[in-house]
């Protein structure tokens, strides 16, 4: 890259560090949307496809970040980000770093502090879609940090999908991200364990899915019905008039015992049963099942 190219930066120039499966998808979406994209990756040949599409390959990370007013990071974790950006902090000063790596709230707060000590503007972010959906209109990206930085760079961030601003507290993007991933894994595990339960009687997952998912979606996982129940969590209001937690404990016993009887793994239902038992021991047995929320809000063993 010539010095002239880095002097003539336009607002929609963007640099991208990290070309795993997700970084490659980000790069392709940005090139498609007409951005001048400069990329760097530890393994340089992973950029070949993007270069063929029109991206520019930087030889060093410092050269990459100097090419644009914004740098997107898409690495495996925060520690790798510090390692990779170590030689590029001077080049990044006065520019925006948008970190899309996964991590924890404390890691996001530490990254903001680190950026501040180097004069780097910082937003934290999280990607809520798999690589093939990046750049599509419904692709949700979460951001947190200074509002003015988000507002100023929103048009560029919108090229990746639907940017949602969560607030000035920089850790909110990773907090929401982990909460939403927890919903995903818990739901998937419920379906997988239930499929294993009927598979123990030689029923294929496809046959079970046909009936079970037809029941599950409108009855249990209907978004409107869950949204109607969310105010009860905020209010701590769990009337047991239509069914108590004590009654639900019976069902959790049955799932655990049936798993054991059928010779499949039983740790998952046992854990759900133990949480319900803890809630009952805390005096919540006459409320409805949602009252286990009170147990989840406290640290283990409290
Ligand atoms: P990944 O395996 O998490 O990250 C791969 C990237 O990290 C590559 O660029 C790799 O470089 C780089 N890297 C790893 N260790 C390094 C080191 N010591 N020094 C320099 N570079 C290093 O793959 P990914 O799927 O692209 O994910 C990137 C981020 O996106 C993650 O934080 C992930 O949580 C998030 N995300 C991914 C998905 C998904 O479905 N893939 C969905 C949502 C969010 P090399 O190419 O040289 O190995």
């Amino acid at each position: 890259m010539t010095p002239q190219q880095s002097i003539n930066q336009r607002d929609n120039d963007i640099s991208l560090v990290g070309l795993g499966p997700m970084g490659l998808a980000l790069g392709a979406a940005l090139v498609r949307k007409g951005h001048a994209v400069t990329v760097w990756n530890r393994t340089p040949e992973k950029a070949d496809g993007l270069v063929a599409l029109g991206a520019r390959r930087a030889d060093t990370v410092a050269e990459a970040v100097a090419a644009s007013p914004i740098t997107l990071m898409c690495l495996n974790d925060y520690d790798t980000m510090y390692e990779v950006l170590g030689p590029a902090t001077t080049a990044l000063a006065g520019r925006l770093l948008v970190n899309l790596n996964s991590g924890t709230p404390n890691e996001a707060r530490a990254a903001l502090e680190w950026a501040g000590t180097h004069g780097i503007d910082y937003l934290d972010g999280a990607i809520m879609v798999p690589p093939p959906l990046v750049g599509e209109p419904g692709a949700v990206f979460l951001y947190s940090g200074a509002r003015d930085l988000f507002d100023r760079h929103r048009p560029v961030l919108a090229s990746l999908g639907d940017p949602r601003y969560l607030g000035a507290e920089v850790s909110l993007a990773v907090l929401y991200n982990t909460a939403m991933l927890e919903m995903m894994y818990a739901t998937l595990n419920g379906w997988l364990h239930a499929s294993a339960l009927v598979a123990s009687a030689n029923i294929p997952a496809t046959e079970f899915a046909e009936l079970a998912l037809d029941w599950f979606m409108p009855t249990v996982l209907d978004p409107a019905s869950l949204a109607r129940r969310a105010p009860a969590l905020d209010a701590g209001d769990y009337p047991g008039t239509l069914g108590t937690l004590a009654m639900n404990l019976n069902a959790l016993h049955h799932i655990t015992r049936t798993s054991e009887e059928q010779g499949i793994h039983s740790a998952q239902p046992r854990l759900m049963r133990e949480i319900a038992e803890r809630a009952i021991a805390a005096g919540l047995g006459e409320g409805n099942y949602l009252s286990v929320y009170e147990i989840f809000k406290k640290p283990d063993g409290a």
Side-chain angles (χ1 to χ4, degrees):
M1 188 182 309
T2 66
Q4 193 59 31
Q5 279 174 306
S6 58
I7 291 163
N8 290 337
Q9 286 168 17
R10 298 169 305 159
D11 281 350
N12 71 343
D13 288 0
I14 190 153
S15 296
L16 170 63
V17 173
L19 299 176
M22 185 49 86
L24 289 173
L26 299 175
L30 291 167
V31 172
R32 273 201 311 276
K33 301 272 168 80
H35 296 278
V37 181
T38 302
V39 296
W40 182 88
N41 194 54
R42 175 181 63 174
T43 312
E45 56 273 21
K46 286 199 189 164
D48 290 352
L50 287 177
V51 170
L53 289 176
R56 291 175 289 175
R57 180 180 358 231
D59 291 332
T60 64
V61 71
E63 184 189 325
V65 304
S68 315
I70 309 184
T71 292
L72 298 184
M73 298 301 289
C74 192
L75 299 168
N76 51 329
D77 59 24
Y78 284 77
D79 286 345
T80 306
M81 177 181 81
Y82 296 128
E83 188 187 324
V84 165
L85 289 182
T89 49
T90 306
L92 257 178
R95 300 171 195 269
L96 175 65
L97 176 65
V98 181
N99 182 18
L100 298 169
N101 309 341
S102 302
T104 70
N106 279 349
E107 286 177 324
R109 283 188 281 265
L112 175 68
E113 206 178 313
W114 171 87
T117 63
H118 294 289
I120 300 165
D121 289 337
Y122 184 85
L123 284 176
D124 211 272
I127 307 165
M128 301 311 301
V129 288
L133 295 184
V134 170
E136 298 298 318
V140 171
F141 280 66
L142 307 175
Y143 296 100
S144 49
R147 169 115 228 176
D148 63 312
L149 289 176
F150 175 79
D151 287 343
R152 203 175 333 139
H153 297 282
R154 193 182 194 290
V156 172
L157 300 176
S159 289
L160 298 172
D162 177 9
R164 306 276 185 94
Y165 178 70
L166 299 174
E169 169 51 51
V170 75
S171 61
L172 285 175
V174 289
L175 184 64
Y176 268 67
N177 174 248
T178 48
M180 288 156 86
L181 289 179
E182 187 195 352
M183 283 174 69
M184 179 185 82
Y185 287 116
T187 309
L188 282 175
N189 270 17
W191 173 57
L192 294 170
H193 190 271
S195 297
L197 201 49
V198 293
S200 67
N202 298 319
I203 296 161
T206 41
E207 194 177 320
F208 176 61
E210 209 173 298
L211 187 147
L213 298 181
D214 265 1
W215 162 80
F216 185 64
M217 298 308 290
T219 313
V220 184
L221 213 59
D222 168 41
S225 136
L226 288 183
R228 273 197 303 277
R229 295 159 106 185
L233 304 187
D234 292 332
D237 180 24
Y238 315 108
T241 36
L242 297 181
T244 61
L245 178 56
M247 179 278 289
N248 280 276
L249 180 62
N250 259 343
L252 294 169
H253 270 299
H254 295 323
I255 303 170
T256 311
R257 286 174 52 221
T258 306
S259 301
E260 289 162 357
E261 245 179 61
Q262 294 293 109
I264 73 158
H265 206 266
S266 63
Q268 184 165 282
R270 201 166 47 250
L271 177 62
M272 293 191 288
R273 190 194 71 197
E274 285 166 9
I275 291 164
E277 284 169 345
R278 215 169 298 159
I280 288 169
L284 297 163
E286 292 311 306
N288 65 40
Y289 187 75
L290 298 188
S291 60
V292 296
Y293 181 56
E294 297 300 322
I295 300 300
F296 285 140
K297 285 194 292 183
K298 295 178 189 143
D300 294 345

